[in-house]
Every structure is written in C-alpha cells, then in structure tokens.
Amino acid sequence: MVSLIAKRAGLGLLTLWLVSVLVFAGTEILPGDVAGAILGQSATPESLAALRSELGLDVPALQRYFDWLGGILTGDMGRSMASGQPVSDLLWPRFRNTMALAAYAGVIAVPLAVGLGILAAAKRGTIFDRAANIAALAFVSLPEYFLGLLLVLWLSVKTGWLPSLADTYEGMGLTAWFTATTLPMLVLVMVTMAQILRMTRTTVLGVMDQPYIETAFLKGLKNGRVVMRHAAPNAAAPIVNVVSFNIAYLITGVVLVEAVFNYNGLGRFMVDAVSKRDLPMVQAAAMIFGAAYVILNMIADIAAIALNPRLRHPRGKEA
Amino acid sequence: MSRLSNIPLTGWIGMALIAANAILFLFGPMLAPFGQEEIVGMPFDMPQPGHPLGFDQNGRDMLSRLLYGAQMSIGISLAAVCLSFAVGVPLGILAAIRGGWLDLVLSRVVDTVMSIPVLISALVVLQALGSSLPVLIVTIALLDSTRVFRLARLVAQGINVMEYAEVARLRGEGLGWMIRREILPNALPPLVAEFGMRFCFTFLFVAGLSYLGLGVQPPFADWGGMVRDNQQGILYGLYAPLFPAAAIALVTIGVNLTVDWLLAGHTTVQGDNR
C-alpha cells in the first residue's frame, strides 16, 4: 500500500511539471504577439523590438521557460505588465480569499451531500429519494449566475437580509466576513452538493447490489444497519473520489461565482488579467489553479487507496 | 425501441424543451418582432403590450434579443461539440484498434490536457489568441475532444475484443471496414448519450465565458453576454438578467432530462457486458 501511495505522489509531481509545460507553451508559443498586443496600432518596428527585449521576449523560449519555472519555485512570478507590481504581491491575497470561500462552501456542502446521498440510497424509491434526485438534477443544470442572481433578488434586494455584493477587505471582522460571503457560499453549496449527492447515491446503490450485502440481509440485519455497516465503508473510496472531483470543480466554479458577487478572489483576478492580456499574471494564476486541481486529485487518490478495505487488509490476512 | 407509453413525464418534458429550443435555433430571428440592435424603448423599462419581457439595459426589446441570441448560443455550442466529436471519435477508435505507440502518445497527451481544469486552459488560450468566434469554437472543441477521445477509446476497446470483431478481422477486413461496420454501429448508444452531455457542458461553458466577458463579443448577442449586460438590473429588483439566464437553464434542463431518461432505458455501456 505504501508503495502504491508513493507511486501516486510521484505521478502527481510529474503531472505538476507537465502542467507547467502546458501553461508556458499555451501562453508563449501560441501565435499571439504580446508586444504587438500591448502597443496595438501605434507599434513601430523599433518600439516593438525595444519592448520585446524589455519583456525578455528576445531570449529563446526554452531558456525563458526555465527562468520562469525557477522563478515560480522560488516564489518570484515576475511583474504584471499592466501595473508593474510583482505578481506574487497581487496574487496571494486573492488566492487566500478564494480558498477561504471554497473552504466555507466545502465544509457545509460535503457532509450534507454525502449524508443526504446515503440517505437517498437507503430509502431508494421513496418520495424523499425522488425529491432529492429531481432537486439535484435541477441544480446541476442551472448555471451559477442564474442561482446567484435569484438569491440576490430574494435574499438581498427584496428582503435586505444579506448584502448583494461580497465586499471583503483586509482586517474586517469575522462576522462581517461571513455575512458578506454567505450568498456566494450558498450558490457554491447548491451546485457542488447536487453533484456529490447524485454520485454518492449511485455509488452506494452499486455496492448494495454486491453478494455480501445480500448475505447481510439474509442474516436478518435491518436495512439501516446494512447501509451503514456494510455498504457505506465499501463505498467510502469512490465517494472520496467524487468529493475531491467536486472540490476540484469548486476551484473553477468559484470563477463564475466570484464574477456574480464581485468577490475579490483569484478567479476574478485571472479573468481581469485575461481581458487585459497580462501574460505573467495569467501564467501565474493558471499555474496556481492547475496546481490546486492536481494536488487535490492526488490527495483524493491517496485517500481512496488508504480507505480501500481490500488494500488495507491484503489477501493473506483475511480469514 | 421502447414504447411511447413507457417514456416517463420527465423524458417528455426534456424532449419538449429540446424541440422548443430547436425551433428557436432555426427560426429565432424570423420570429423576433424587433431587430437585435433596434432601440425601441427606455432602458430597463417594464414589460408592456408588444414587449412581453420588457427592455434591456439599452432599451432594446428583450424578447427579440433572446430570439436572436438563441442562434448564437446554441450554434456555437453545436459547432464546438460536432467538431470535438469529429476529432475525438476517430482518434479514440484508431488508438483502440491500432494500440502501440500511437495509443500511448495520444493517451498521454490527453491525460495531461485533462489534468488542468477546462476553464483554466481555455482562459490561457484566450489570453494568447484573443476572443473571436473561430478561436472560441476551435479552442473549446479541442479541449472537449480529450473527453470524447477517452470515451471513444474505452468503448472501442470493449468492442474490439468481441467475437464478432475477431471474426471480421480473421475474414481479413481492413481498418475502414472495422471502424464503419463493426465498431461505430455498436459504439453509437454511449456516444449519443455522451453527445447530449457534452452539448450541455459546452453550452454552459460558452455561456459562462460570455458571462465573464471573454466569450462572444459585441455586436453579436448571446444569452451569457445578455446576463452580464443586464446584471445591474437585479439590484433594482428587475427580472431583466433572469430571462436570458432562464433560457440557458431551460436548454440544459431539457438535455439533462432527456439524457437521464435515455441512460436509464439502456444502462449497459458496451464495455461493461463481458
């Protein structure tokens, strides 16, 4: 089992490196000319050449890649083209904001969704199961901004309960922060919960078709006990996968939600950078998002290996 | 073929929504009472006779804008999904049949691209190339084709080891025959279901990019961009941005309901029944 985990961790590192290659290749080798984009109509050959050398674009791509990678590994992500400020100063506060929002949503969505999913599976075919299914299908289909705007209309504009924009700033109180971020949190919870609930239910039902579950029923055990003691532990590994997949989704779903509520997170930061075509900022933000995604998936796989009853108790030891 | 009476209510609703949107897609601009750029009222004015959905942020007729937008929103997604299947399915099947280094190289490339969230990859490409309709369609199609490739390869591998495929190979049939006569017909059900899901995803994705201001650019109207343009209206308690958002939601709900019913009817994916 340990070697399996080490293998998966190694694969994760390799993937991280490949992500860096892709991000660099995507921004540098694609036929867009950054210097031309900045200068626009006013470009003369001399000014273009001057700007290129100022931006370091006259150096061969391979060397620029290693400079860039080395910079990222040592925490130096270059300077923003638009404002000239160091990218890392701009990026990390936003990253913290995004992670805080994602964590706030995840802490509520995951236990609720897994619990309801298991409940729906245990009560297969009942009104509760159907209602949960239809609600989940609806939430999966609705775009984030539709849910977001509905919540703004009902909980903010019509009732005045919560602020319509998620304004956060350094040093604001905890209560104020929770009030400001509750609407975006609710949208994220609805969207991720729906996915996790549906997939948890399917996974548990899949386990319920196994012969050992039939045996448990034939022993005379009650439905609830079979689900909790026999089905749920065996469904744990796939459920962890589902959860991590959705948390990884949360990382990008946050981009749209941040735009709805004008939340000062990494998603909005990246969208702004893309519309300004600010290369170092886009590279850094893409790298952070990519790394978060890869690392979350890696943790999930490792957790799934650790949780798998068959891998924890190798064949020889079983009675 | 399942009997018509066996189709559940949700399946009917789904198909009705798809049919309604197909009509909008084909005839939308012809049904629109006003032009898409025509200013015919006050900004954000209330619904009134002749303007059942009111006006948008520039005083244009909301209903007409929605009808024009249908073609753009649905058209781009359809084009992207068709292109992604045109790339992903042949390559996936080829990788499954040929195996060897071709399979290895393609699979590694696809795995790497898939290890980055699609939205992030798309933003990187849009940063480099700028946002125009062809760039948008090709970028989304190529990113999406990785998912299609994976499924097509998996399904084709399952079929390729079946007895009838073995027999055809022993008969000496060539690659073209194998793909057209043995693999494609048997791979069709899962691929059709995937087409529905992919369309849904792409449709939401294009709308999302436009909502962020990085997708369809003015002067073209699409539903995601309309939500963005009208968003301030919500702060005054107006429904203006909800109409295009609801139009987006109705398309995805329709496709989801239909695919859900289709998959419940034919659960076995070819790869599973060994």
Side-chain angles (χ1 to χ4, degrees), chain B residues 35-271:
Chain B
Q36 62 172 332
E37 292 296 323
E38 208 179 329
I39 294 176
V40 286
M42 299 291 287
F44 286 135
D45 206 0
M46 288 292 154
Q48 47 190 262
H51 305 278
L53 300 183
F55 300 89
D56 77 348
Q57 87 283 4
N58 287 342
R60 294 169 291 194
D61 181 50
M62 179 63 82
L63 179 66
S64 305
R65 297 269 298 164
L66 272 183
L67 289 169
Y68 273 98
Q71 213 148 48
M72 189 54 78
S73 296
I74 299 175
I76 291 181
S77 319
L78 261 187
V81 179
C82 289
L83 187 58
S84 81
F85 269 71
V87 174
V89 170
L91 284 180
I93 294 178
L94 202 64
I97 298 182
R98 278 286 174 79
W101 64 266
L102 180 77
D103 185 25
L104 199 74
V105 170
L106 282 175
S107 295
R108 281 297 144 270
V109 170
V110 162
D111 283 353
T112 311
V113 173
M114 282 179 69
S115 69
I116 305 179
V118 187
L119 179 59
I120 305 303
S121 311
L123 288 185
V124 167
V125 176
L126 291 179
Q127 186 278 143
L129 298 182
S131 191
S132 64
L133 285 188
V135 168
L136 208 58
I137 291 174
V138 172
T139 305
I140 294 172
L142 288 183
L143 288 175
D144 233 24
S145 69
T146 55
R147 273 81 181 163
V148 178
F149 169 87
R150 276 260 272 242
L151 180 79
R153 177 174 169 273
L154 193 76
V155 172
Q157 269 179 339
I159 297 169
N160 206 28
V161 294
M162 294 296 213
E163 279 92 353
Y164 56 80
E166 196 76 15
V167 169
R169 245 194 317 280
L170 289 175
R171 262 201 326 262
E173 305 291 1
L175 191 64
W177 174 285
M178 287 302 294
I179 293 178
R180 268 186 300 111
R181 302 299 294 269
E182 308 293 339
I183 306 239
L184 265 185
N186 291 296
L188 220 49
L191 287 181
V192 168
E194 179 72 7
F195 190 89
M197 297 306 287
R198 279 290 118 207
F199 173 77
C200 221
F201 178 81
T202 308
F203 181 74
L204 276 178
F205 190 72
V206 174
L209 279 179
S210 296
Y211 175 74
L212 293 173
L214 302 171
V216 179
Q217 303 292 326
F220 299 112
D222 87 312
W223 292 343
M226 288 173 67
V227 180
R228 172 193 174 83
D229 293 340
N230 289 291
Q231 192 170 335
Q232 280 84 30
I234 205 82
L235 299 178
Y236 309 109
L238 300 170
Y239 292 97
L242 290 177
F243 293 125
I248 295 167
L250 284 178
V251 172
T252 52
I253 289 177
V255 176
N256 261 332
L257 286 177
T258 309
V259 171
D260 218 47
W261 156 67
L262 279 177
L263 284 181
H266 323 254
T267 36
T268 45
V269 177
Q270 297 291 329

Side-chain angles (χ1 to χ4, degrees), chain A:
Chain A
M1 191 172 109
V2 174
S3 75
L4 259 181
I5 292 177
K7 238 185 231 164
R8 185 63 190 79
L11 191 66
L13 283 180
L14 181 71
T15 315
L16 268 184
W17 174 69
L18 285 171
V19 169
S20 81
V21 174
L22 269 192
V23 167
F24 187 82
T27 49
E28 301 261 348
I29 294 169
L30 282 176
D33 181 17
V34 187
I38 293 177
L39 292 178
Q41 295 290 328
S42 65
T44 61
E46 295 80 38
S47 64
L48 271 179
L51 186 64
R52 280 211 187 92
S53 75
E54 190 192 327
L55 297 171
L57 291 175
D58 48 354
V59 183
L62 201 63
Q63 194 193 332
R64 264 187 294 138
Y65 168 68
F66 284 110
D67 289 347
W68 175 72
L69 188 65
I72 283 200
L73 290 176
T74 53
D76 169 22
M77 296 174 171
R79 285 173 178 279
S80 156
M81 283 183 177
S83 67
Q85 284 175 281
V87 172
S88 48
D89 289 2
L90 297 167
L91 186 132
W92 290 116
R94 266 103 178 179
F95 178 66
R96 272 202 304 278
N97 285 348
T98 289
M99 291 316 276
L101 181 59
Y104 185 20
V107 163
I108 292 171
V110 171
L112 206 60
V114 172
L116 286 177
I118 294 178
L119 202 62
K123 294 182 178 287
R124 168 170 22 181
T126 60
I127 301 276
F128 171 78
D129 180 28
R130 285 178 182 203
N133 244 330
I134 289 178
L137 189 68
F139 283 140
V140 168
S141 316
L142 298 180
E144 288 88 346
Y145 37 89
F146 185 56
L147 290 170
L149 291 174
L150 276 183
L151 289 185
V152 167
L153 191 65
W154 288 334
L155 299 182
S156 177
V157 176
K158 300 243 157 155
T159 57
W161 288 339
L162 290 163
S164 59
L165 293 179
D167 266 330
T168 57
Y169 47 89
E170 287 291 316
M172 74 191 295
L174 207 58
T175 337
W177 189 84
F178 277 118
T179 317
T181 52
T182 292
L183 278 187
M185 176 278 287
L186 281 177
V187 176
L188 285 172
V189 164
M190 283 195 256
V191 182
T192 41
M193 224 181 95
Q195 285 276 11
I196 300 180
L197 193 154
R198 264 163 78 91
M199 287 158 93
T200 304
R201 176 181 175 276
T202 316
T203 311
V204 174
L205 284 183
V207 174
M208 294 292 278
D209 287 340
Q210 299 288 319
Y212 57 81
I213 298 292
E214 210 178 328
T215 311
F217 275 121
L218 291 175
K219 279 197 305 192
L221 295 182
K222 291 253 167 57
N223 186 25
R225 192 171 162 77
V226 172
V227 170
M228 288 318 294
R229 300 279 305 179
H230 294 254
N234 283 290
I239 289 177
V240 165
N241 251 323
V242 169
V243 167
S244 80
F245 178 78
N246 280 282
I247 290 184
Y249 161 78
L250 205 62
I251 302 278
T252 52
V254 111
V255 174
L256 282 170
V257 174
E258 282 176 7
V260 177
F261 295 98
N262 212 23
Y263 182 71
N264 190 20
L266 189 57
R268 230 189 76 207
F269 174 85
M270 186 171 179
V271 170
D272 284 349
V274 171
S275 46
K276 283 184 206 144
R277 302 186 74 171
D278 193 335
L279 180 71
M281 305 241 282
V282 174
Q283 281 176 329
M287 199 55 220
I288 300 282
F289 272 126
Y293 189 75
V294 168
I295 290 171
L296 274 172
N297 276 322
M298 185 175 80
I299 292 174
D301 278 3
I302 290 174
I305 294 171
L307 278 172
N308 188 332
R310 281 173 208 230
L311 290 174
R312 255 188 322 185
H313 310 288
R315 287 251 150 177
K317 285 182 199 156
E318 270 174 47

